Amino acid sequence: MTQRIAFIGGGNMASAIIGGLIKQGLAPSQIDVVEPLAEARDKLASSYGLQPHAEAGAFLAQADLVIWAVKPQSFKDAALAVAPHTPGALHLSVAAGIPSDSIARWLGTERVVRAMPNTPALIGKGISGLFARPAVSSADKDWIGQVMASTGEFLWLDAEGQLNAVTALSGSGPAYVFYFMEAMTTAGCEMGLSREQAHQLTVATFVGASELARTSSEPPKVLRQRVTSKGGTTFAAISSMEDGDLQAEFINAIYAARQRAQELGDELGGE
């Protein structure tokens, strides 16, 4: 890659992408970062050999791609400071909730892509949903794909509204997994296992089941049925969950997350 990339915000998600890009062959000298917190700048300097900036400046005019990794509440003010320097750049936002209409308006460009990554991106195992505005070219999308591949998998969406579903499903999804891990670990401890044993068994079960689901041609429902012999231990557990209507409650929870994603977009994307 010969292009120059600027990051607005230098927190965990920016660091994940930066680390992945450097592994892909991008030189630290091709990366600029605007990060107001001195501690975060020092960490980026020591980890990647970068020279981050405390605020936006004329150096941003060199950027071919600007990646927005700021807190949603800070996006507008940061955009207004950056916009005069980046009229010809492609922009990729990994900030949750900010509609692309607002981003395009604040930056004065239609070359905007929104991404909804998740926290496993920090170890290169993430999954991101991507939406591009009509002005984004096929070549632009290829480049964005190359960038996001540094954090894991990605998929393109046809409608921006689908990002709210992505947020509810995979964006918030790691928390759901950790929630059930907590429950399983607690149950294991209550049944006489040590916390370390319960944790190891729980994590290995999620990793193994996920890999089985990923590599199998059969849907999760069939995989579940195969280990649920009528009258057996798994059957007893699943029956207990169904008595409590757990699946319906879990689906309702995901809908609640999607609703909140929509509300945040409306709140944060104002003038």
Side-chain angles (χ1 to χ4, degrees):
M1 291 182 286
T2 59
Q3 300 94 335
R4 194 169 188 87
I5 299 177
F7 287 79
I8 312 301
N12 287 336
M13 191 56 66
S15 293
I17 299 173
I18 289 168
L21 289 173
I22 289 175
K23 286 181 182 178
Q24 285 184 354
L26 191 71
S29 60
Q30 293 173 261
I31 301 172
D32 288 307
V33 182
V34 177
E35 171 51 61
L37 297 179
E39 183 178 355
R41 292 199 304 274
D42 292 342
K43 184 176 180 180
L44 289 166
S46 62
S47 297
Y48 304 112
L50 304 178
Q51 296 181 324
H53 303 263
E55 58 186 24
F59 63 90
L60 289 171
Q62 304 175 67
D64 300 292
L65 171 64
V66 179
I67 298 178
W68 291 85
V70 296
K71 287 182 171 57
Q73 296 84 352
S74 305
F75 201 120
K76 181 178 180 180
D77 289 342
L80 296 179
V82 169
H85 307 293
T86 59
L90 173 63
H91 293 265
L92 168 64
S93 170
V94 297
I98 308 293
S100 69
D101 281 347
S102 300
I103 297 171
R105 183 172 66 251
W106 296 336
L107 292 172
T109 179
E110 288 294 314
R111 290 179 70 209
V112 173
V113 176
R114 279 187 63 194
M116 184 62 236
N118 61 7
T119 54
L122 301 175
I123 58 168
K125 296 291 184 179
I127 178 75
S128 301
L130 303 173
F131 170 77
R133 290 179 71 82
V136 176
S137 69
S138 295
D140 289 338
K141 291 177 71 173
D142 288 344
W143 188 15
I144 294 296
Q146 184 179 3
V147 169
M148 294 310 298
S150 70
T151 66
E153 300 179 47
F154 65 89
L155 55 87
W156 288 99
L157 304 170
D158 297 324
E160 185 168 6
Q162 292 176 308
L163 281 172
N164 291 327
V166 172
T167 301
L169 201 64
S170 59
S172 298
Y176 313 152
V177 174
F178 301 144
Y179 185 82
F180 282 101
M181 282 184 170
E182 287 181 70
M184 288 175 65
T185 302
T186 297
C189 291
E190 291 177 353
M191 293 175 182
L193 297 171
S194 70
R195 180 156 294 276
E196 291 74 18
Q197 289 171 325
H199 176 75
Q200 182 178 354
L201 289 165
T202 296
V203 172
T205 298
F206 271 86
V207 170
S210 297
E211 184 64 14
L212 180 59
R214 188 184 72 84
T215 58
S216 177
S217 61
E218 296 174 325
K221 181 177 181 179
V222 172
L223 296 175
R224 172 179 61 78
Q225 290 171 338
R226 287 204 168 160
V227 293
T228 311
S229 301
K230 191 168 184 179
T233 58
T234 309
F235 181 82
I238 296 296
S239 295
S240 177
M241 294 181 199
E242 289 180 343
D243 288 343
D245 213 7
L246 182 59
Q247 188 174 94
E249 289 299 322
F250 190 31
I251 291 171
N252 288 339
I254 296 172
Y255 271 97
R258 187 187 69 168
Q259 177 63 29
R260 186 56 182 151
Q262 178 63 57
E263 292 170 356
L264 286 172
D266 294 340
E267 292 170 13
L268 298 170
E271 294 292 337

